[in-house]
């Protein structure tokens, strides 16, 4: 791999590892120091490898340079504490030990502990996702801004506020105690779930970015599986859900970035290895007595990996939506349920249920009504599609709705 390809690849895979280890070493209050050292390490790689060539083991080189830069920083802090701070009014800061552990085990432990730290309840959900992308996934501010469909300055301010909040709360980079871990795990799973959705449902045309968001969410979820304390049924269910959705990633958009609806997707482009892996994790998630929303959503996603339009399929999907809405009501889930209802009980029953929702600010609501009325009243179908078109926010959504209008 050429240098211009290797360094960006290593930045994506190793920056977050180095940052997590250094942040754990220095403490959450010095998160910028950890990021600076990790960034300087890659700057050194750009400057050095261009003259001397790529080292035999680039990752080991990066770790060695990161350790040296961290030691230099610690030595400067020690010098300040010993020679200068005694003459100042404030107390000298505590100086961490100089030994930096970049072993595989400590990297994994540090990333998992950092995941719980950035998902602290005191930090807003959007900031949690942003911090996870920055510190644990190695995403730049521009990439995070693109993922959130906002600007770099907004993301920068959001991350600065979040880091300050973590400092003020004196959040420790460590796994919570056994009595607290289940409560905190729910926050972590919510963050990973939303992170995956940012990639899967993103309106960005950057396919690589969308893929990376989903893969990073899956990688971080897998970290939870590798630790006995966090390897719990909801984690396995969430990973199953991610596998099922990711299996259709390549089939759900065309080369122009336009959505291909489920019924029109080419099943041969589905990733059947991911489907099998999802089925394995869903089976593993069945252990225990508790059912989470991730179990139910994974079950729905599983039935969508079966393309055949059978009565059994839609009855199971409807049953799972019924249970999901009882457990955690969501207007979008209720809307999706009405489509399953139409497959089981017909369009008239589904229209009656859908119109009760009155989601009049949502273009998906009118799109679904248009589909349901297509079989009953084409004039009403066209009217609903027109409303959906006016509410749609993206060119892709408008083109899909226009295509439906054209077929009436």
């Amino acid at each position: 791999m050429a240098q211009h390809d290797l360094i960006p690849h290593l930045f994506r895979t190793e920056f977050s590892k180095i940052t997590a280890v250094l942040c754990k070493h220095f403490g959450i209050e010095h998160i910028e120091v950890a990021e600076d050292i990790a960034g300087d390490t890659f700057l050194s790689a750009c400057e050095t490898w261009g003259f001397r060539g790529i080292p035999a083991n680039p990752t080991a080189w990066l770790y060695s340079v990161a350790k040296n830069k961290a030691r230099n920083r610690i030595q400067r802090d020690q010098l300040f504490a010993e020679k200068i701070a005694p003459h100042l009014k404030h107390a000298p800061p505590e100086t961490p030990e100089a030994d930096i552990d970049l072993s595989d085990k400590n990297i994994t432990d540090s990333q998992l502990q950092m995941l719980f730290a950035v998902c602290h309840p005191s930090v807003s959900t959007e900031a949690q996702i942003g911090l996870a992308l920055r510190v644990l996934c190695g995403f730049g501010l521009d990439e995070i801004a693109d993922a959130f469909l906002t600007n770099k300055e907004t993301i920068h301010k959001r991350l600065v506020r979040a880091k300050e909040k973590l400092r003020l709360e004196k959040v420790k980079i460590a796994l919570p105690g056994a009595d607290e871990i289940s409560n905190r795990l729910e926050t972590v799973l919510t963050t990973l779930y939303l992170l995956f959705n940012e990639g899967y449902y993103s309106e960005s045309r950057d396919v690589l970015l969308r893929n990376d968001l989903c893969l990073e969410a899956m990688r971080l979820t897998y970290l939870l599986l590798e630790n006995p304390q966090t390897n719990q049924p909801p984690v396995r269910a969430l990973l199953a859900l991610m596998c099922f959705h990711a299996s259709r990633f390549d089939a759900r958009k065309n080369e122009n970035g336009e959505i291909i609806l489920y019924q029109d997707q080419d099943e041969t482009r589905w990733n059947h290895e991911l489907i099998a892996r999802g089925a394995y994790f869903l089976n593993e998630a069945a252990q225990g007595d508790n059912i989470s929303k991730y179990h139910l959503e994974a079950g729905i996603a599983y039935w969508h990996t079966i393309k055949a339009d059978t009565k059994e399929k839609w009855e199971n999907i409807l049953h799972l939506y019924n249970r999901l809405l009882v457990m955690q009501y969501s207007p979008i889930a209720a809307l999706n349920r009405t489509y399953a209802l139409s497959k089981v009980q017909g369009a008239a029953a589904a229209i009656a249920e859908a119109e009760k929702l009155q989601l009049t600010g949502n273009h998906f609501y009118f799109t679904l009504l248009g589909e349901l009325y297509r079989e009953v009243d084409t004039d009403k179908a066209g009217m609903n599609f027109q409303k959906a078109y006016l509410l749609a926010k993206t060119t892709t959504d408008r083109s899909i709705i226009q295509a439906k209008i054209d077929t009436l």
Side-chain angles (χ1 to χ4, degrees), residues 327-361:
M327 179 180 290
Q328 187 178 85
Y329 183 84
S330 157
I332 296 302
L335 188 64
N336 291 335
R337 174 190 171 274
T338 60
Y339 183 76
L341 183 66
S342 74
K343 291 289 189 176
V344 177
Q345 297 183 16
I351 289 169
E353 287 296 306
E355 290 183 337
K356 290 177 185 177
L357 299 174
Q358 287 296 302
L359 301 175
T360 53

Side-chain angles (χ1 to χ4, degrees), residues 41-89:
T41 298
F42 281 90
L43 183 60
S44 295
C46 291
E47 294 171 345
T48 305
W49 296 0
F51 292 105
R52 300 182 183 176
I54 298 171
N57 189 333
T59 302
W61 188 97
L62 290 170
Y63 289 178
S64 177
V65 170
K67 286 181 182 181
N68 288 335
K69 289 182 179 293
R71 288 194 193 102
N72 290 340
R73 174 67 185 235
I74 291 168
Q75 288 170 0
R76 287 201 303 272
D77 289 346
Q78 285 176 334
L79 180 64
F80 175 83
E82 293 170 4
K83 303 293 185 181
I84 301 173
H87 303 288
L88 302 176
K89 291 182 180 179

Side-chain angles (χ1 to χ4, degrees), residues 3-287:
Q3 181 185 328
H4 64 275
D5 294 322
L6 179 61
I7 290 181
H9 169 73
L10 288 172
F11 187 89
R12 178 53 52 85
T13 59
E14 305 304 326
F15 174 87
S16 60
K17 296 177 183 178
I18 294 170
T19 301
V21 169
L22 293 179
C23 197
K24 178 184 174 182
H25 194 84
F26 287 106
I28 199 79
E29 65 273 19
H30 299 298
I31 190 170
E32 285 92 352
V33 172
E35 289 179 313
D36 287 346
I37 292 173
D40 286 345
T41 298
F42 281 90
L43 183 60
S44 295
C46 291
E47 294 171 345
T48 305
W49 296 0
F51 292 105
R52 300 182 183 176
I54 298 171
N57 189 333
T59 302
W61 188 97
L62 290 170
Y63 289 178
S64 177
V65 170
K67 286 181 182 181
N68 288 335
K69 289 182 179 293
R71 288 194 193 102
N72 290 340
R73 174 67 185 235
I74 291 168
Q75 288 170 0
R76 287 201 303 272
D77 289 346
Q78 285 176 334
L79 180 64
F80 175 83
E82 293 170 4
K83 303 293 185 181
I84 301 173
H87 303 288
L88 302 176
K89 291 182 180 179
H90 60 76
E94 291 185 14
T95 304
E97 297 294 326
D99 186 34
I100 308 295
D101 181 5
L102 277 163
S103 65
D104 288 344
K105 183 180 185 308
N106 194 50
I107 287 172
T108 299
D109 289 346
S110 298
Q111 288 191 302
L112 185 59
Q113 292 163 4
M114 195 69 195
L115 180 58
F116 274 87
V118 301
C119 293
H120 192 269
S122 66
V123 178
S124 71
T125 301
E126 284 188 335
Q128 288 174 2
I129 299 172
L131 281 174
L133 287 173
R134 177 62 184 156
V135 179
L136 291 166
C137 306
F139 279 59
L141 292 180
D142 288 327
E143 291 177 301
I144 300 172
D146 192 22
F148 280 105
L149 300 178
T150 186
N151 58 67
K152 184 177 176 180
E153 185 61 27
T154 298
I155 294 298
H156 175 70
K157 289 178 179 177
R158 186 180 297 167
L159 295 186
V160 167
R161 286 195 298 268
K163 290 173 185 177
E164 184 60 26
K165 191 70 175 175
L166 293 175
R167 288 191 194 95
L168 292 173
E169 295 288 335
K170 298 181 180 179
V171 173
K172 299 292 184 185
I173 302 177
L175 282 181
D179 56 339
E180 189 191 352
I181 202 162
S182 292
N183 293 333
R184 289 285 301 281
L185 183 60
E186 180 57 37
T187 305
V188 171
L189 292 180
T190 299
T191 298
L192 295 175
Y193 174 80
L194 293 173
L195 172 56
F196 184 89
N197 286 349
E198 282 293 338
Y200 196 71
Y201 297 108
S202 171
E203 296 298 343
S204 167
R205 287 184 174 270
D206 187 343
V207 176
L208 290 177
L209 173 60
R210 292 200 311 268
N211 268 315
D212 281 352
L213 286 167
C214 291
L215 292 175
E216 284 299 312
M218 294 173 77
R219 180 183 69 82
L220 293 174
T221 306
Y222 195 77
L223 282 181
L224 295 171
L225 286 188
E226 291 184 315
N227 188 285
Q229 289 179 270
T230 55
N231 183 3
Q232 299 184 20
V235 178
R236 299 173 212 143
L238 176 58
L239 191 54
L241 172 63
M242 291 174 174
C243 288
F244 290 140
H245 280 324
S247 71
R248 298 201 306 276
F249 209 101
D250 291 339
R252 66 192 290 270
K253 291 199 176 186
N254 63 22
E255 60 274 10
N256 297 321
E258 297 167 338
I259 290 285
I260 300 174
L261 299 176
Y262 171 75
Q263 60 267 27
D264 300 323
Q265 289 175 12
D266 181 357
E267 190 180 349
T268 63
R269 297 190 66 197
W270 291 358
N271 186 323
H272 293 280
E273 182 182 342
L274 270 177
I275 292 172
R277 197 175 301 172
Y280 168 79
F281 288 128
L282 184 56
N283 184 60
E284 289 289 298
Q287 300 172 17

Side-chain angles (χ1 to χ4, degrees), residues 371-401:
E371 283 293 331
L372 296 176
Y373 270 114
R374 186 192 290 272
E375 302 175 26
V376 181
D377 185 330
T378 54
D379 288 339
K380 285 189 175 180
M383 181 181 67
N384 280 289
F385 282 139
Q386 290 289 351
K387 289 179 180 178
Y389 185 90
L390 293 173
L391 286 171
K393 294 181 175 63
T394 68
T395 304
T396 299
D397 285 337
R398 284 192 290 271
S399 66
I400 290 171
I401 296 165

